[in-house]
mmCIF file with all atom_site columns, all heavy atoms in Angstrom:
data_model
loop_
_atom_site.group_PDB
_atom_site.id
_atom_site.type_symbol
_atom_site.label_atom_id
_atom_site.label_alt_id
_atom_site.label_comp_id
_atom_site.label_asym_id
_atom_site.label_entity_id
_atom_site.label_seq_id
_atom_site.pdbx_PDB_ins_code
_atom_site.Cartn_x
_atom_site.Cartn_y
_atom_site.Cartn_z
_atom_site.occupancy
_atom_site.B_iso_or_equiv
_atom_site.pdbx_formal_charge
_atom_site.auth_seq_id
_atom_site.auth_comp_id
_atom_site.auth_asym_id
_atom_site.auth_atom_id
_atom_site.pdbx_PDB_model_num
ATOM 1   N N   . LEU A 1 6   ? 18.260 73.446 -29.646 1.00 95.00 ? 103 LEU A N   1
ATOM 2   C CA  . LEU A 1 6   ? 19.066 72.490 -28.899 1.00 95.00 ? 103 LEU A CA  1
ATOM 3   C C   . LEU A 1 6   ? 18.160 71.355 -28.456 1.00 95.00 ? 103 LEU A C   1
ATOM 4   O O   . LEU A 1 6   ? 17.084 71.599 -27.888 1.00 95.00 ? 103 LEU A O   1
ATOM 5   C CB  . LEU A 1 6   ? 19.695 73.158 -27.663 1.00 95.00 ? 103 LEU A CB  1
ATOM 6   C CG  . LEU A 1 6   ? 20.262 72.231 -26.602 1.00 95.00 ? 103 LEU A CG  1
ATOM 7   C CD1 . LEU A 1 6   ? 21.483 71.468 -27.120 1.00 95.00 ? 103 LEU A CD1 1
ATOM 8   C CD2 . LEU A 1 6   ? 20.611 73.020 -25.357 1.00 95.00 ? 103 LEU A CD2 1
ATOM 9   N N   . ALA A 1 26  ? 17.825 81.370 -24.847 1.00 93.00 ? 123 ALA A N   1
ATOM 10  C CA  . ALA A 1 26  ? 17.259 80.733 -23.665 1.00 93.00 ? 123 ALA A CA  1
ATOM 11  C C   . ALA A 1 26  ? 18.380 80.311 -22.735 1.00 93.00 ? 123 ALA A C   1
ATOM 12  O O   . ALA A 1 26  ? 19.555 80.323 -23.118 1.00 93.00 ? 123 ALA A O   1
ATOM 13  C CB  . ALA A 1 26  ? 16.451 79.503 -24.075 1.00 93.00 ? 123 ALA A CB  1
ATOM 14  N N   . ARG A 1 32  ? 19.293 69.154 -9.195  1.00 96.00 ? 129 ARG A N   1
ATOM 15  C CA  . ARG A 1 32  ? 18.273 68.462 -8.414  1.00 96.00 ? 129 ARG A CA  1
ATOM 16  C C   . ARG A 1 32  ? 17.200 69.394 -7.838  1.00 96.00 ? 129 ARG A C   1
ATOM 17  O O   . ARG A 1 32  ? 16.138 68.938 -7.436  1.00 96.00 ? 129 ARG A O   1
ATOM 18  C CB  . ARG A 1 32  ? 18.923 67.686 -7.268  1.00 96.00 ? 129 ARG A CB  1
ATOM 19  C CG  . ARG A 1 32  ? 19.721 66.492 -7.709  1.00 96.00 ? 129 ARG A CG  1
ATOM 20  C CD  . ARG A 1 32  ? 20.282 65.704 -6.519  1.00 96.00 ? 129 ARG A CD  1
ATOM 21  N NE  . ARG A 1 32  ? 21.249 66.484 -5.769  1.00 96.00 ? 129 ARG A NE  1
ATOM 22  C CZ  . ARG A 1 32  ? 21.110 66.881 -4.517  1.00 96.00 ? 129 ARG A CZ  1
ATOM 23  N NH1 . ARG A 1 32  ? 20.057 66.569 -3.818  1.00 96.00 ? 129 ARG A NH1 1
ATOM 24  N NH2 . ARG A 1 32  ? 22.045 67.592 -3.926  1.00 96.00 ? 129 ARG A NH2 1
ATOM 25  N N   . ARG A 1 34  ? 14.164 72.048 -7.190  1.00 96.00 ? 131 ARG A N   1
ATOM 26  C CA  . ARG A 1 34  ? 12.856 72.300 -7.819  1.00 96.00 ? 131 ARG A CA  1
ATOM 27  C C   . ARG A 1 34  ? 12.887 73.497 -8.753  1.00 96.00 ? 131 ARG A C   1
ATOM 28  O O   . ARG A 1 34  ? 12.082 73.609 -9.651  1.00 96.00 ? 131 ARG A O   1
ATOM 29  C CB  . ARG A 1 34  ? 11.786 72.539 -6.751  1.00 96.00 ? 131 ARG A CB  1
ATOM 30  C CG  . ARG A 1 34  ? 11.417 71.316 -6.000  1.00 96.00 ? 131 ARG A CG  1
ATOM 31  C CD  . ARG A 1 34  ? 10.314 71.601 -5.033  1.00 96.00 ? 131 ARG A CD  1
ATOM 32  N NE  . ARG A 1 34  ? 10.109 70.416 -4.223  1.00 96.00 ? 131 ARG A NE  1
ATOM 33  C CZ  . ARG A 1 34  ? 9.080  70.244 -3.429  1.00 96.00 ? 131 ARG A CZ  1
ATOM 34  N NH1 . ARG A 1 34  ? 8.190  71.183 -3.318  1.00 96.00 ? 131 ARG A NH1 1
ATOM 35  N NH2 . ARG A 1 34  ? 8.967  69.133 -2.742  1.00 96.00 ? 131 ARG A NH2 1
ATOM 36  N N   . LEU A 1 40  ? 17.368 66.598 -12.442 1.00 95.00 ? 137 LEU A N   1
ATOM 37  C CA  . LEU A 1 40  ? 18.053 65.299 -12.489 1.00 95.00 ? 137 LEU A CA  1
ATOM 38  C C   . LEU A 1 40  ? 17.939 64.681 -11.104 1.00 95.00 ? 137 LEU A C   1
ATOM 39  O O   . LEU A 1 40  ? 18.854 64.747 -10.296 1.00 95.00 ? 137 LEU A O   1
ATOM 40  C CB  . LEU A 1 40  ? 19.519 65.500 -12.915 1.00 95.00 ? 137 LEU A CB  1
ATOM 41  C CG  . LEU A 1 40  ? 19.717 66.253 -14.223 1.00 95.00 ? 137 LEU A CG  1
ATOM 42  C CD1 . LEU A 1 40  ? 21.180 66.553 -14.468 1.00 95.00 ? 137 LEU A CD1 1
ATOM 43  C CD2 . LEU A 1 40  ? 19.115 65.503 -15.393 1.00 95.00 ? 137 LEU A CD2 1
ATOM 44  N N   . VAL A 1 60  ? 25.868 78.006 -28.419 1.00 95.00 ? 157 VAL A N   1
ATOM 45  C CA  . VAL A 1 60  ? 25.308 77.268 -27.278 1.00 95.00 ? 157 VAL A CA  1
ATOM 46  C C   . VAL A 1 60  ? 26.444 76.991 -26.307 1.00 95.00 ? 157 VAL A C   1
ATOM 47  O O   . VAL A 1 60  ? 27.528 76.561 -26.721 1.00 95.00 ? 157 VAL A O   1
ATOM 48  C CB  . VAL A 1 60  ? 24.631 75.967 -27.732 1.00 95.00 ? 157 VAL A CB  1
ATOM 49  C CG1 . VAL A 1 60  ? 24.057 75.206 -26.551 1.00 95.00 ? 157 VAL A CG1 1
ATOM 50  C CG2 . VAL A 1 60  ? 23.532 76.249 -28.754 1.00 95.00 ? 157 VAL A CG2 1
ATOM 51  N N   . LEU A 1 65  ? 28.313 75.249 -12.430 1.00 95.00 ? 162 LEU A N   1
ATOM 52  C CA  . LEU A 1 65  ? 27.945 76.227 -11.403 1.00 95.00 ? 162 LEU A CA  1
ATOM 53  C C   . LEU A 1 65  ? 28.604 75.932 -10.061 1.00 95.00 ? 162 LEU A C   1
ATOM 54  O O   . LEU A 1 65  ? 28.026 76.182 -9.009  1.00 95.00 ? 162 LEU A O   1
ATOM 55  C CB  . LEU A 1 65  ? 26.420 76.297 -11.254 1.00 95.00 ? 162 LEU A CB  1
ATOM 56  C CG  . LEU A 1 65  ? 25.684 76.774 -12.505 1.00 95.00 ? 162 LEU A CG  1
ATOM 57  C CD1 . LEU A 1 65  ? 24.161 76.695 -12.295 1.00 95.00 ? 162 LEU A CD1 1
ATOM 58  C CD2 . LEU A 1 65  ? 26.095 78.197 -12.870 1.00 95.00 ? 162 LEU A CD2 1
ATOM 59  N N   . GLY A 1 66  ? 29.826 75.417 -10.112 1.00 93.00 ? 163 GLY A N   1
ATOM 60  C CA  . GLY A 1 66  ? 30.543 75.133 -8.871  1.00 93.00 ? 163 GLY A CA  1
ATOM 61  C C   . GLY A 1 66  ? 30.138 73.811 -8.247  1.00 93.00 ? 163 GLY A C   1
ATOM 62  O O   . GLY A 1 66  ? 30.250 73.627 -7.057  1.00 93.00 ? 163 GLY A O   1
ATOM 63  N N   . GLY A 1 70  ? 31.512 68.078 -10.906 1.00 94.00 ? 167 GLY A N   1
ATOM 64  C CA  . GLY A 1 70  ? 31.895 68.581 -12.219 1.00 94.00 ? 167 GLY A CA  1
ATOM 65  C C   . GLY A 1 70  ? 30.915 68.289 -13.327 1.00 94.00 ? 167 GLY A C   1
ATOM 66  O O   . GLY A 1 70  ? 29.998 67.481 -13.206 1.00 94.00 ? 167 GLY A O   1
ATOM 67  N N   . ASN A 1 74  ? 32.456 65.804 -23.769 1.00 97.00 ? 171 ASN A N   1
ATOM 68  C CA  . ASN A 1 74  ? 33.296 64.858 -24.514 1.00 97.00 ? 171 ASN A CA  1
ATOM 69  C C   . ASN A 1 74  ? 34.414 64.253 -23.670 1.00 97.00 ? 171 ASN A C   1
ATOM 70  O O   . ASN A 1 74  ? 35.549 64.089 -24.110 1.00 97.00 ? 171 ASN A O   1
ATOM 71  C CB  . ASN A 1 74  ? 33.869 65.535 -25.778 1.00 97.00 ? 171 ASN A CB  1
ATOM 72  C CG  . ASN A 1 74  ? 32.785 65.999 -26.720 1.00 97.00 ? 171 ASN A CG  1
ATOM 73  O OD1 . ASN A 1 74  ? 31.755 65.348 -26.837 1.00 97.00 ? 171 ASN A OD1 1
ATOM 74  N ND2 . ASN A 1 74  ? 33.009 67.099 -27.375 1.00 97.00 ? 171 ASN A ND2 1
ATOM 75  N N   . ILE A 1 78  ? 34.915 70.513 -17.587 1.00 92.00 ? 175 ILE A N   1
ATOM 76  C CA  . ILE A 1 78  ? 35.013 71.952 -17.882 1.00 92.00 ? 175 ILE A CA  1
ATOM 77  C C   . ILE A 1 78  ? 35.352 72.673 -16.600 1.00 92.00 ? 175 ILE A C   1
ATOM 78  O O   . ILE A 1 78  ? 35.040 72.194 -15.513 1.00 92.00 ? 175 ILE A O   1
ATOM 79  C CB  . ILE A 1 78  ? 33.725 72.496 -18.538 1.00 92.00 ? 175 ILE A CB  1
ATOM 80  C CG1 . ILE A 1 78  ? 32.506 72.364 -17.631 1.00 92.00 ? 175 ILE A CG1 1
ATOM 81  C CG2 . ILE A 1 78  ? 33.467 71.816 -19.854 1.00 92.00 ? 175 ILE A CG2 1
ATOM 82  C CD1 . ILE A 1 78  ? 31.254 73.019 -18.169 1.00 92.00 ? 175 ILE A CD1 1
ATOM 83  N N   . GLN A 1 84  ? 36.340 74.319 -3.116  1.00 55.00 ? 181 GLN A N   1
ATOM 84  C CA  . GLN A 1 84  ? 37.168 74.156 -1.931  1.00 55.00 ? 181 GLN A CA  1
ATOM 85  C C   . GLN A 1 84  ? 37.647 75.505 -1.377  1.00 55.00 ? 181 GLN A C   1
ATOM 86  O O   . GLN A 1 84  ? 38.199 75.559 -0.288  1.00 55.00 ? 181 GLN A O   1
ATOM 87  C CB  . GLN A 1 84  ? 38.394 73.291 -2.251  1.00 55.00 ? 181 GLN A CB  1
ATOM 88  C CG  . GLN A 1 84  ? 38.028 71.901 -2.780  1.00 55.00 ? 181 GLN A CG  1
ATOM 89  C CD  . GLN A 1 84  ? 37.182 71.121 -1.792  1.00 55.00 ? 181 GLN A CD  1
ATOM 90  O OE1 . GLN A 1 84  ? 37.423 71.155 -0.595  1.00 55.00 ? 181 GLN A OE1 1
ATOM 91  N NE2 . GLN A 1 84  ? 36.176 70.433 -2.293  1.00 55.00 ? 181 GLN A NE2 1
ATOM 92  N N   . GLY A 1 86  ? 37.716 78.942 0.479   1.00 47.00 ? 183 GLY A N   1
ATOM 93  C CA  . GLY A 1 86  ? 37.020 79.370 1.700   1.00 47.00 ? 183 GLY A CA  1
ATOM 94  C C   . GLY A 1 86  ? 35.950 80.390 1.400   1.00 47.00 ? 183 GLY A C   1
ATOM 95  O O   . GLY A 1 86  ? 35.924 81.022 0.353   1.00 47.00 ? 183 GLY A O   1
ATOM 96  N N   . THR A 1 90  ? 37.464 85.228 -2.893  1.00 45.00 ? 187 THR A N   1
ATOM 97  C CA  . THR A 1 90  ? 36.701 85.666 -4.045  1.00 45.00 ? 187 THR A CA  1
ATOM 98  C C   . THR A 1 90  ? 36.620 84.500 -5.016  1.00 45.00 ? 187 THR A C   1
ATOM 99  O O   . THR A 1 90  ? 37.631 83.928 -5.411  1.00 45.00 ? 187 THR A O   1
ATOM 100 C CB  . THR A 1 90  ? 37.392 86.856 -4.740  1.00 45.00 ? 187 THR A CB  1
ATOM 101 O OG1 . THR A 1 90  ? 37.504 87.905 -3.779  1.00 45.00 ? 187 THR A OG1 1
ATOM 102 C CG2 . THR A 1 90  ? 36.618 87.315 -5.932  1.00 45.00 ? 187 THR A CG2 1
ATOM 103 N N   . GLN A 1 93  ? 35.177 83.565 -11.700 1.00 51.00 ? 190 GLN A N   1
ATOM 104 C CA  . GLN A 1 93  ? 34.052 83.355 -12.614 1.00 51.00 ? 190 GLN A CA  1
ATOM 105 C C   . GLN A 1 93  ? 34.288 82.065 -13.388 1.00 51.00 ? 190 GLN A C   1
ATOM 106 O O   . GLN A 1 93  ? 35.338 81.856 -13.962 1.00 51.00 ? 190 GLN A O   1
ATOM 107 C CB  . GLN A 1 93  ? 33.929 84.545 -13.599 1.00 51.00 ? 190 GLN A CB  1
ATOM 108 C CG  . GLN A 1 93  ? 32.834 84.391 -14.633 1.00 51.00 ? 190 GLN A CG  1
ATOM 109 C CD  . GLN A 1 93  ? 31.450 84.346 -14.021 1.00 51.00 ? 190 GLN A CD  1
ATOM 110 O OE1 . GLN A 1 93  ? 31.188 85.027 -13.035 1.00 51.00 ? 190 GLN A OE1 1
ATOM 111 N NE2 . GLN A 1 93  ? 30.574 83.567 -14.597 1.00 51.00 ? 190 GLN A NE2 1
ATOM 112 N N   . ALA A 1 94  ? 33.317 81.179 -13.370 1.00 60.00 ? 191 ALA A N   1
ATOM 113 C CA  . ALA A 1 94  ? 33.435 79.938 -14.128 1.00 60.00 ? 191 ALA A CA  1
ATOM 114 C C   . ALA A 1 94  ? 33.388 80.255 -15.618 1.00 60.00 ? 191 ALA A C   1
ATOM 115 O O   . ALA A 1 94  ? 32.649 81.145 -16.044 1.00 60.00 ? 191 ALA A O   1
ATOM 116 C CB  . ALA A 1 94  ? 32.307 78.991 -13.748 1.00 60.00 ? 191 ALA A CB  1
ATOM 117 N N   . SER A 1 95  ? 34.182 79.555 -16.394 1.00 79.00 ? 192 SER A N   1
ATOM 118 C CA  . SER A 1 95  ? 34.200 79.819 -17.830 1.00 79.00 ? 192 SER A CA  1
ATOM 119 C C   . SER A 1 95  ? 33.147 78.981 -18.539 1.00 79.00 ? 192 SER A C   1
ATOM 120 O O   . SER A 1 95  ? 32.780 77.900 -18.097 1.00 79.00 ? 192 SER A O   1
ATOM 121 C CB  . SER A 1 95  ? 35.597 79.523 -18.408 1.00 79.00 ? 192 SER A CB  1
ATOM 122 O OG  . SER A 1 95  ? 35.882 78.160 -18.239 1.00 79.00 ? 192 SER A OG  1
ATOM 123 N N   . LEU A 1 99  ? 29.211 74.354 -26.910 1.00 96.00 ? 196 LEU A N   1
ATOM 124 C CA  . LEU A 1 99  ? 28.694 73.040 -27.275 1.00 96.00 ? 196 LEU A CA  1
ATOM 125 C C   . LEU A 1 99  ? 28.466 73.001 -28.781 1.00 96.00 ? 196 LEU A C   1
ATOM 126 O O   . LEU A 1 99  ? 28.020 73.977 -29.372 1.00 96.00 ? 196 LEU A O   1
ATOM 127 C CB  . LEU A 1 99  ? 27.375 72.756 -26.554 1.00 96.00 ? 196 LEU A CB  1
ATOM 128 C CG  . LEU A 1 99  ? 27.435 72.501 -25.054 1.00 96.00 ? 196 LEU A CG  1
ATOM 129 C CD1 . LEU A 1 99  ? 26.037 72.348 -24.480 1.00 96.00 ? 196 LEU A CD1 1
ATOM 130 C CD2 . LEU A 1 99  ? 28.275 71.268 -24.756 1.00 96.00 ? 196 LEU A CD2 1
ATOM 131 N N   . GLY A 1 102 ? 26.610 66.938 -31.802 1.00 97.00 ? 199 GLY A N   1
ATOM 132 C CA  . GLY A 1 102 ? 27.334 65.686 -31.648 1.00 97.00 ? 199 GLY A CA  1
ATOM 133 C C   . GLY A 1 102 ? 28.131 65.560 -30.365 1.00 97.00 ? 199 GLY A C   1
ATOM 134 O O   . GLY A 1 102 ? 28.654 64.482 -30.057 1.00 97.00 ? 199 GLY A O   1
ATOM 135 N N   . LEU A 1 105 ? 27.476 65.477 -23.304 1.00 98.00 ? 202 LEU A N   1
ATOM 136 C CA  . LEU A 1 105 ? 27.445 66.239 -22.060 1.00 98.00 ? 202 LEU A CA  1
ATOM 137 C C   . LEU A 1 105 ? 27.166 65.247 -20.926 1.00 98.00 ? 202 LEU A C   1
ATOM 138 O O   . LEU A 1 105 ? 26.171 64.528 -20.955 1.00 98.00 ? 202 LEU A O   1
ATOM 139 C CB  . LEU A 1 105 ? 26.349 67.299 -22.110 1.00 98.00 ? 202 LEU A CB  1
ATOM 140 C CG  . LEU A 1 105 ? 26.093 68.098 -20.853 1.00 98.00 ? 202 LEU A CG  1
ATOM 141 C CD1 . LEU A 1 105 ? 27.310 68.947 -20.480 1.00 98.00 ? 202 LEU A CD1 1
ATOM 142 C CD2 . LEU A 1 105 ? 24.866 68.976 -21.025 1.00 98.00 ? 202 LEU A CD2 1
ATOM 143 N N   . ILE A 1 107 ? 26.734 64.848 -16.787 1.00 97.00 ? 204 ILE A N   1
ATOM 144 C CA  . ILE A 1 107 ? 26.477 65.441 -15.479 1.00 97.00 ? 204 ILE A CA  1
ATOM 145 C C   . ILE A 1 107 ? 26.341 64.261 -14.530 1.00 97.00 ? 204 ILE A C   1
ATOM 146 O O   . ILE A 1 107 ? 25.286 63.626 -14.463 1.00 97.00 ? 204 ILE A O   1
ATOM 147 C CB  . ILE A 1 107 ? 25.223 66.332 -15.492 1.00 97.00 ? 204 ILE A CB  1
ATOM 148 C CG1 . ILE A 1 107 ? 25.399 67.422 -16.541 1.00 97.00 ? 204 ILE A CG1 1
ATOM 149 C CG2 . ILE A 1 107 ? 24.950 66.897 -14.119 1.00 97.00 ? 204 ILE A CG2 1
ATOM 150 C CD1 . ILE A 1 107 ? 24.120 68.074 -16.968 1.00 97.00 ? 204 ILE A CD1 1
ATOM 151 N N   . CYS A 1 115 ? 22.301 67.729 -29.671 1.00 96.00 ? 212 CYS A N   1
ATOM 152 C CA  . CYS A 1 115 ? 21.884 67.849 -31.076 1.00 96.00 ? 212 CYS A CA  1
ATOM 153 C C   . CYS A 1 115 ? 21.512 69.304 -31.327 1.00 96.00 ? 212 CYS A C   1
ATOM 154 O O   . CYS A 1 115 ? 20.619 69.841 -30.660 1.00 96.00 ? 212 CYS A O   1
ATOM 155 C CB  . CYS A 1 115 ? 20.694 66.953 -31.356 1.00 96.00 ? 212 CYS A CB  1
ATOM 156 S SG  . CYS A 1 115 ? 20.959 65.227 -30.937 1.00 96.00 ? 212 CYS A SG  1
ATOM 157 N N   . SER A 1 121 ? 14.379 81.724 -39.863 1.00 63.00 ? 218 SER A N   1
ATOM 158 C CA  . SER A 1 121 ? 13.313 82.627 -39.449 1.00 63.00 ? 218 SER A CA  1
ATOM 159 C C   . SER A 1 121 ? 12.192 82.577 -40.474 1.00 63.00 ? 218 SER A C   1
ATOM 160 O O   . SER A 1 121 ? 12.376 82.125 -41.607 1.00 63.00 ? 218 SER A O   1
ATOM 161 C CB  . SER A 1 121 ? 13.854 84.060 -39.341 1.00 63.00 ? 218 SER A CB  1
ATOM 162 O OG  . SER A 1 121 ? 14.199 84.518 -40.632 1.00 63.00 ? 218 SER A OG  1
ATOM 163 N N   . VAL A 1 141 ? 9.511  78.265 -68.867 1.00 45.00 ? 238 VAL A N   1
ATOM 164 C CA  . VAL A 1 141 ? 9.377  79.132 -70.050 1.00 45.00 ? 238 VAL A CA  1
ATOM 165 C C   . VAL A 1 141 ? 10.185 78.628 -71.190 1.00 45.00 ? 238 VAL A C   1
ATOM 166 O O   . VAL A 1 141 ? 11.162 78.006 -71.177 1.00 45.00 ? 238 VAL A O   1
ATOM 167 C CB  . VAL A 1 141 ? 9.791  80.582 -69.687 1.00 45.00 ? 238 VAL A CB  1
ATOM 168 C CG1 . VAL A 1 141 ? 9.757  81.455 -70.909 1.00 45.00 ? 238 VAL A CG1 1
ATOM 169 C CG2 . VAL A 1 141 ? 8.929  81.101 -68.589 1.00 45.00 ? 238 VAL A CG2 1
#
Side-chain angles (χ1 to χ4, degrees):
L103 165 67
R129 290 183 295 116
R131 289 183 187 191
L137 305 173
V157 179
L162 296 176
N171 298 326
I175 62 174
Q181 302 301 320
T187 302
Q190 177 65 35
S192 62
L196 289 175
L202 174 65
I204 302 161
C212 304
S218 67
V238 176

